[in-house]
Amino acid sequence: MGALVAALPVISSLYGSAVVVVAGPAVLAPGALAEAFAEDLAFLRYTGARPVVVHDAGAEPVPRAPGEDAATALRTVAAGLVQRRLVGLVNAHGPLAVGITGEDGHTLTRTARGDLVADPGVLRTLLDDGRIPVVAAVAHGEDGPHAADVTTTARLLAAHLSARRLLLPPDAEAAGTAGGTTGFDTAVPHALLRTLYEPDPPAPDGIDPSGTPGFPTAGQAEHVLGLPGARRP
């Protein structure tokens, strides 16, 4: 409860605002880190933020069938395996997450000149419906799908959505950062909430610096804040 009260100023500042997050390989693989990341996303949504997740195939191998191009193979693994796993973990806390690729609604398009452009219409529709868009970084192209860099994609979507916060892999933080951009390490349990609510945790009572933090769970947040349903403002 104390951790929730301490986080109230940040919860208030993020209410109704987009938060774009790059999901690193550590949370795209099965296991406790992925479960903690999904719980963090649900917590953000239940407390009024509007998270958007961008991802690739993580550490999963991307085999190619005979004659299959690399981007199509990536789409199969990223959207067909990795994304479904993450969406399922988030939706264990309520019908919140919806998985799409950048091809859907031409959310991402690779132009003939090689530029990556975005149309956030589908994302805005999902966010307005109380959902968490989980976007595989595969772009539409006139000649078929194109792989898109997750950091570039996240920056582009954050700009179009006027995101309050943009959370990138640590090694991307220094490259062209804007206000509200933060590097975070998804290999740390509950890194999303740690970064947003306590960027440099001093390990007070209730937080174990060696592992699981004392942040409230998505279920606790739903109970404490009196949120009976899954759809949020």
Side-chain angles (χ1 to χ4, degrees), residues 71 101-103 107-110 116-117 136-141 144-148 153:
T101 76
E103 296 173 284
T107 299
L108 298 171
T109 298
R110 182 73 69 184
L116 187 66
V117 297
V138 178
H140 164 76
H146 287 256
T153 296

Side-chain angles (χ1 to χ4, degrees), residues 38 41-43 45-46 90-91 93-98 126 130-133 229-232:
L41 290 169
F43 178 85
R45 194 66 198 92
Y46 279 133
V90 176
N91 287 345
H93 304 288
L96 299 172
V98 176
L126 291 171
R131 309 301 176 180
I132 300 174
R231 296 168 67 176
R232 301 288 166 252

Side-chain angles (χ1 to χ4, degrees), residues 61-153:
V62 183
R64 293 168 62 176
E68 185 178 43
D69 62 272
T72 299
L74 172 66
R75 177 180 61 190
T76 299
V77 175
L81 174 63
V82 173
Q83 185 180 89
R84 289 175 65 86
R85 185 163 58 213
L86 179 56
V87 166
L89 289 174
V90 176
N91 287 345
H93 304 288
L96 299 172
V98 176
I100 68 170
T101 76
E103 296 173 284
D104 295 320
H106 293 187
T107 299
L108 298 171
T109 298
R110 182 73 69 184
T111 68
R113 295 172 50 188
D115 298 324
L116 187 66
V117 297
D119 179 346
V122 170
L123 299 183
R124 289 196 177 112
T125 297
L126 291 171
L127 290 171
D128 288 346
D129 193 42
R131 309 301 176 180
I132 300 174
V134 180
V135 185
V138 178
H140 164 76
E142 292 184 2
D143 56 347
H146 287 256
D149 176 73
V150 288
T151 297
T152 301
T153 296

